[in-house]
Amino acid sequence: MHAIESSPEFVSQIYKHMADRIAIVRKRLGRPLTLTEKILFGHLDNPATADLRAGESYLQLRPDRVAMQDATAQMALLQFAQADIPRVAVPTTVHCDHLIQAREGAEKDTARALDENREVYEFLRTASNRYRIGFWKPGAGIIHQVVLEHYAFPGGMMIGTDSHTPNAGGLGMFASGVGGADAVDVMAGFPWEVKSPRIIGVKLIGKLSGWASPKDVILLLCGILTVKGGTNAVIEYFGPGAASISCTGKGTIANMGAELGATTSVFPFDASMNRYLRATDRAALADLAAQHADIVAADPEVERDPEKYFDRVVTIDLSTLEPHLVGPHTPDLARPISAVAAAVVKESYPDLISVALIGSCTNSSYEDISRVTDVVQQAKSHGMKATVPFLVTPGSEQIRATIARDGQLGEIQSVGGQVLANACGPCIGQWKRDELKPGTKNTIVTSFNRNFPARNDGSRETLAFIASPEIVAAYALAGRLSFNPLKDTLQGGDGKPFTLTAPKPAPDLPASGFVRDVDGYLAPAADGSKITIEVAKDSKRLQLLTPFAAWDGKDFVELPLLLKAKGKCTTDHISPAGPWLRFRGHLDNISDNMLTGAISAFTGEANPAIPKTARDYKAKGLRWVVVGDENYGEGSSREHAAMSPRFLGCAAVIVRSFARIHESNLKKQGILPLTFANPADYDKVLEGDRISVLGLAKLAPGGELTAELRHNNGGTDRITLRHTLNAEQIAWFKAGSALNVIKGQSR
Ligand code: MIC
Ligand code: SF4
């Protein structure tokens, strides 16, 4: 039976398999390989025969690990339970991080969460015990930080039920965010299927200095590539600048590749990863990676002639990189810090910052917090404190205990910083902001990764901007968005003006080692077969799933249009988080949030009554359709954004384009994800339309479908629709869901 840890034996076995498979593909292709290709090909289920066309074919892969967080693991495990399989087939962990609400500070908030979420934590703990999954308790840390500290390794492949799983790319892993149903496939011993990605090379030259930090690399890139620029692509970093960035800094960059829609981001193995592995008690893995240098980095020809091997190459000079700020409402609205003051005036952003927040899974490394400490110490020496509330979310207990021991946390607290639980908290709307009057337009700055409307505190009036932790710390002192930390003056406690100097380069690793978290982890029983998983019939938080019905073999005829969404429609619009997180294990209850954040193209507003309308259609036995714009379903991996529509009767989602994870979640749950062959046809969809999707009996890979729009005024339009379903995915549609197919196979 496999160990749950990434043990040296396990990793060495993986490298051996990878070498064999890479050799097979190398022979087929007869050319040098990128790092992305080595990891992908090294994990192919069928290296000799796989169709490898980038951007075209689907790859069947064998990931080494699975990670799930509590808000998505519930649905994943409820589905796994349906598949009736005794234990997971690959090392898997569950992390309790999303359900802790930030209110009064770490201790009280964690205690309250333990109480309020007892039933859910018990479910996750027992299910983990039964299926042989490692369980990380509430308070132990945020999934991506804990994975980096314990499980990630160079050249490995992992999937995680969270879109920021690529954080492990900082340690050279191909780690991708997926919906729960994809995780169920892998945990059940089936391959993971993913669109063969294009590869974007990002060449880093020069060296960071002054205020510039790894965060600024990815904020700049967000502006260049935009939120859909990475769809079905892997971002592969290389060049001398890459090696100059710490392992955790690389983690920040890889983490936010999710904001580009990228499948994942990878860095080649280097000395910073070597150091990080040793500092986190994994010297043997560092040695193994060093011994397999040919697996954990691209072939030298690639770096010499990148244009030949990547679909696109972007070069970033770290030496001239200016700190950036992105937002509001989207992570690709990027501005260099020197341009922010003018934007505040031009766009009428509230200049006064209401709260500054640092930390999260993206930015709470030893280096990050040490640079923040440098900034706050400068203020302290001038008798100054933060002028606005300043919240800190450590990424894990290991990092919290270490920065507590080494004094950084105390310094931050001494200027007014408040330490929250080692959990997602305000990053995902788990934030009780009593000080904010509802409906007040206000500005917050964070070092998180996402800033969609209403995400942090449930209020669409909150404008969230994202910057590096050190820049956010400077904002916490100034309290104004128009403040430029690089040159503007602050007023000291003595009334005298002073300017901040750039924080000094900080150590990426603690000189006295990390403080280990000895309480956070619970290993599962060796034999969990006797453990029963209880779900109370009247539970409001958990509900066993009933399989979705198979396709009835007929075309979809004159289905009502439930919603035509306008503009950005992220998973935070389709299935909002915050207070709704408590229903992540109860499909019926959470469906009451369905599409309530989406903006109607007809009214220009969100409609809280949408779930009720859908339920009315469902009660009448009617299915319905959603129409959307570009990059529909951007953001999170939450499959509730596909399961709730499926549960309430959605038959098809027709859009200009999809984000990768959401499109695949829709397929898994038996909804047809369709795109307009002619994007302008979006405009032909009118209020009150009845939509028919015709030709379903002939649904075939690469084929097209016809939709007929019958308008209220009696007119009709016929339009052509495309899809990316392959034969297997068409089988899911026919069976009603992918899970229905798996269940058939595992019996
Ligand atoms: C997020 O950052 O949006 C989340 C909350 O971590 C999600 C997962 C979820 O919705 O549970 C993600 O990134 O996938
Ligand atoms: Fe949690 Fe935010 Fe990271 Fe998502 S992005 S895992 S909500 S800290």
Side-chain angles (χ1 to χ4, degrees):
M1 211 181 303
H2 60 75
I4 290 171
E5 288 64 45
S6 294
S7 64
E9 300 70 41
F10 177 71
V11 172
S12 131
Q13 199 61 27
I14 289 166
Y15 286 155
K16 194 176 159 307
H17 283 155
M18 285 179 75
D20 294 347
R21 295 180 212 182
I22 293 170
I24 297 175
V25 180
R26 203 184 266 289
K27 214 158 155 201
R28 285 179 59 191
L29 297 180
R31 62 163 171 83
L33 300 175
T34 61
L35 169 61
T36 306
E37 288 172 318
K38 289 185 187 181
I39 309 183
L40 278 172
F41 301 160
H43 288 84
L44 276 172
D45 189 43
N46 49 348
T49 54
D51 176 354
L52 303 172
R53 284 167 307 142
E56 303 275 329
S57 65
Y58 283 89
L59 302 178
Q60 306 284 327
L61 299 162
R62 292 284 177 179
D64 307 314
R65 306 195 59 91
V66 174
M68 298 184 282
Q69 42 88 344
D70 50 2
T72 48
Q74 298 172 59
M75 213 39 103
L77 288 170
L78 286 164
Q79 293 178 79
F80 189 75
Q82 268 198 45
D84 220 4
I85 289 167
R87 75 181 68 83
V88 294
V90 301
T92 300
T93 48
V94 160
H95 305 259
C96 296
D97 52 4
H98 280 62
L99 300 180
I100 303 177
Q101 194 189 43
R103 219 189 276 187
E104 295 164 275
E107 221 165 290
K108 286 192 181 151
D109 293 347
T110 311
R112 191 177 332 95
L114 280 169
D115 190 39
E116 285 174 3
N117 304 315
R118 187 172 307 278
E119 182 187 5
V120 170
Y121 292 146
E122 269 311 286
F123 167 74
L124 292 173
R125 192 184 58 79
T126 8
S128 298
N129 210 1
R130 174 172 172 113
Y131 298 127
R132 208 161 179 282
I133 296 172
F135 179 78
W136 285 84
K137 299 179 209 166
I142 307 174
I143 176 169
H144 312 303
Q145 181 64 31
V146 175
V147 164
L148 195 73
E149 287 166 359
H150 296 269
Y151 302 119
F153 61 93
M157 176 176 283
M158 179 175 90
I159 56 169
T161 59
D162 192 281
S163 67
H164 293 105
T165 302
N167 190 70
L171 207 35
M173 195 168 207
F174 184 113
S176 192
V178 296
D182 280 37
V184 170
D185 285 349
V186 174
M187 293 190 295
F190 295 96
W192 171 49
E193 188 186 71
V194 70
K195 187 79 161 277
S196 177
R198 296 173 296 117
I199 310 171
I200 300 175
V202 176
K203 180 172 182 178
L204 300 177
I205 56 171
K207 198 167 182 313
L208 291 168
S209 65
W211 284 91
S213 74
K215 181 78 155 199
D216 300 305
V217 174
I218 189 66
L219 297 184
L220 172 74
L221 200 60
C222 283
I224 297 173
L225 293 179
T226 80
V227 289
K228 52 180 289 214
T231 309
N232 292 321
V234 171
I235 318 278
E236 179 167 330
Y237 293 85
F238 66 100
S244 76
I245 297 175
S246 64
C247 172
T248 47
K250 293 182 176 86
T252 297
I253 296 173
N255 175 307
M256 278 195 75
E259 273 47 71
L260 306 167
T263 305
T264 192
S265 300
V266 291
F267 280 88
F269 178 67
D270 64 15
S272 71
M273 296 184 195
N274 193 323
R275 277 200 310 274
Y276 187 78
L277 284 169
R278 288 177 198 284
T280 47
D281 294 343
R282 292 172 290 171
L285 299 193
D287 293 341
L288 273 171
Q291 284 156 23
H292 293 87
D294 54 328
I295 289 187
V296 293
D299 287 338
E301 293 87 337
V302 174
E303 188 149 341
R304 279 205 294 272
D305 198 359
E307 271 78 13
K308 197 162 157 198
Y309 300 98
F310 294 114
D311 291 85
R312 175 174 177 187
V313 177
V314 178
T315 302
I316 297 179
D317 184 355
L318 303 177
S319 304
T320 57
L321 182 63
E322 191 184 337
H324 274 63
L325 179 86
V326 303
H329 300 326
T330 182
D332 55 1
L333 181 47
R335 297 184 176 96
I337 212 82
S338 56
V340 174
V344 169
V345 176
K346 182 155 178 271
E347 308 294 338
S348 308
Y349 299 143
D351 191 23
L352 212 62
I353 292 168
S354 57
V355 184
L357 306 99
I358 59 167
S360 89
C361 69
T362 328
N363 268 112
S364 53
S365 66
Y366 195 77
E367 185 181 26
D368 288 335
I369 302 296
S370 301
R371 302 245 306 165
V372 166
T373 306
D374 184 319
V375 175
V376 303
Q377 279 173 335
Q378 293 184 46
K380 239 176 108 174
S381 69
H382 289 273
M384 190 195 184
K385 290 190 166 198
T387 57
V388 298
F390 184 29
L391 308 182
V392 187
T393 305
S396 70
E397 177 54 18
Q398 175 164 310
I399 196 80
R400 190 210 60 78
T402 308
I403 57 178
R405 180 200 63 197
D406 293 352
Q408 293 96 328
L409 213 51
E411 286 297 281
I412 294 172
Q413 284 169 312
S414 73
V415 298
Q418 187 190 15
V419 182
L420 302 175
N422 312 317
C424 301
C427 181
I428 190 52
Q430 289 283 39
W431 184 17
K432 196 153 181 297
R433 264 190 97 176
D434 291 333
E435 95 292 350
L436 184 76
K437 274 213 216 76
T440 319
K441 194 166 171 194
N442 74 107
T443 290
I444 61 171
V445 284
T446 81
S447 72
F448 306 163
N449 45 25
R450 240 166 224 163
N451 55 356
F452 303 141
R455 176 176 170 95
N456 300 101
D457 56 6
S459 166
R460 303 188 78 85
E461 305 299 318
T462 295
L463 275 58
F465 296 86
I466 302 172
S468 69
E470 45 272 57
I471 291 287
V472 174
Y475 279 131
L477 300 171
R480 284 183 303 110
L481 195 63
S482 56
F483 173 77
N484 181 350
L486 278 64
K487 62 179 192 43
D488 292 347
T489 47
L490 292 167
Q491 193 167 4
D494 49 7
K496 289 197 194 123
F498 72 99
T499 42
L500 293 166
T501 53
K504 290 180 285 303
D508 54 347
L509 300 167
S512 346
F514 283 109
V515 179
R516 302 295 293 191
D517 171 13
V518 286
D519 290 331
Y521 177 68
L522 208 62
D527 174 13
S529 59
K530 302 273 167 342
I531 294 163
T532 49
I533 306 167
E534 303 278 348
V535 172
K537 277 223 161 50
D538 59 349
S539 170
K540 298 209 165 25
R541 305 279 308 258
L542 296 164
Q543 181 187 43
L544 294 176
L545 295 168
T546 313
F548 295 130
W551 176 53
D552 62 7
K554 300 191 188 128
D555 276 344
F556 295 145
V557 178
E558 302 210 342
L559 306 190
L561 170 67
L562 182 76
L563 168 81
K564 178 178 173 183
K566 181 172 93 174
K568 213 185 212 359
C569 192
T570 72
T571 47
D572 277 295
H573 295 78
I574 305 169
S575 179
W580 290 99
L581 284 172
R582 68 186 188 281
F583 296 130
R584 283 291 185 88
H586 197 296
L587 186 53
D588 198 349
N589 284 348
I590 199 166
S591 298
D592 281 333
N593 76 352
M594 187 192 70
L595 289 162
T596 49
I599 303 299
S600 157
F602 306 125
T603 64
E605 283 174 12
N607 176 6
I610 282 222
K612 160 111 188 23
T613 311
R615 284 187 193 273
D616 289 347
Y617 288 143
K618 182 176 174 173
K620 290 187 192 132
L622 281 178
R623 298 192 70 185
W624 43 266
V625 173
V626 170
V627 167
D629 211 322
E630 295 282 5
N631 210 22
Y632 183 87
E634 166 189 346
S636 154
S637 69
R638 63 191 75 148
E639 62 192 333
H640 307 76
M643 289 182 90
S644 289
R646 177 71 170 102
F647 177 69
L648 294 186
C650 181
V653 177
I654 308 173
V655 300
R656 282 183 159 136
S657 64
F658 284 105
R660 173 187 63 92
I661 308 179
H662 187 60
E663 181 181 22
S664 132
N665 285 345
L666 290 170
K667 290 177 181 174
K668 287 269 175 190
Q669 302 302 338
I671 294 180
L672 284 183
L674 306 171
T675 49
F676 296 103
N678 174 8
D681 284 348
Y682 170 89
D683 295 325
K684 294 194 177 144
V685 180
L686 304 179
E687 193 163 11
D689 273 2
R690 291 278 170 160
I691 302 181
S692 302
V693 182
L694 308 171
L696 289 181
K698 295 211 185 86
L699 186 62
E704 292 182 335
L705 291 166
T706 302
E708 191 171 275
L709 313 173
R710 190 159 65 74
H711 308 305
N712 258 345
N713 63 11
T716 55
D717 270 303
R718 273 196 160 230
I719 58 174
T720 304
L721 303 176
R722 298 214 171 108
H723 67 84
T724 60
L725 295 148
N726 62 19
E728 188 190 357
Q729 294 164 346
I730 291 174
W732 302 343
F733 165 69
K734 291 186 173 162
S737 72
L739 191 60
N740 290 349
V741 175
I742 288 206
K743 267 167 33 194
Q745 292 172 355
S746 61
R747 293 246 158 83

